[in-house]
Amino acid sequence: MSDTIFGKIVSGEIPSEFIYEDEHCIAINDVNPQAPVHVLVIPKRDIPRLVDAEMDDRDLLGHLLLAAGNVARQLGVDEAFRLIINNGSDAGQTVFHLHLHIIAGRKFAEGHMAG
Ligand code: AMP
């Protein structure tokens, strides 16, 4: 497991409330939410960045998207949410253990990527 904060959360070394868990991933509330709903979907497997994923990870990557949809449904935001992956520090990635941001609960600007 990665030595990052998310690796430690996944392994239980750092206690955190999982709002969702299955065989391959967990979801937690972001500690510094950017919207009323801001959840992180984190694979249990340690992949530092999206570009570090390999062909063997394709099932896992698909699983993460399905899990994100399930979490959005669970939270009642499945009609309107954004899914964001920051890849690399210049793109804003600060934790180098792959994670998906589910952001919802506020109106996003139309046609504006950064919302
Ligand atoms: P990124 O910038 O894409 O790497 O996202 C990292 C996210 O993790 C940020 O939105 C942080 O607020 C969040 N974060 C950092 N530490 C924790 C933690 N212990 N529990 C929950 N979220 C965290």
Side-chain angles (χ1 to χ4, degrees):
M1 197 52 64
S2 73
D3 219 22
T4 65
I5 186 127
F6 293 166
K8 289 176 180 166
I9 286 173
V10 165
S11 71
E13 189 181 332
I14 294 176
S16 180
E17 187 192 347
F18 296 175
I19 63 165
Y20 173 90
E21 180 176 17
D22 64 32
E23 194 185 344
H24 300 295
C25 66
I26 62 164
I28 60 173
N29 284 310
D30 196 292
V31 77
N32 181 26
Q34 304 299 309
V37 172
H38 188 168
V39 169
L40 304 170
V41 178
I42 306 172
K44 292 184 175 178
R45 177 167 147 69
D46 168 27
I47 300 170
R49 303 169 303 167
L50 179 65
V51 288
D52 298 312
E54 297 174 353
M55 212 36 132
D56 280 353
D57 297 313
R58 62 189 182 278
D59 286 353
L60 174 61
L61 294 178
H63 181 90
L64 294 173
L65 293 179
L66 291 169
N70 287 338
V71 172
R73 213 171 288 118
Q74 177 185 317
L75 296 173
V77 297
D78 45 310
E79 292 300 325
F81 66 94
R82 278 196 177 164
L83 209 52
I84 294 169
I85 297 175
N86 295 321
N87 182 95
S89 47
D90 283 354
Q93 185 174 5
T94 57
V95 180
F96 286 80
H97 181 126
L98 178 65
H99 52 281
L100 287 61
H101 298 253
I102 299 174
I103 296 179
R106 65 177 165 89
K107 192 138 174 59
F108 298 108
E110 254 175 65
H112 187 274
M113 291 293 288

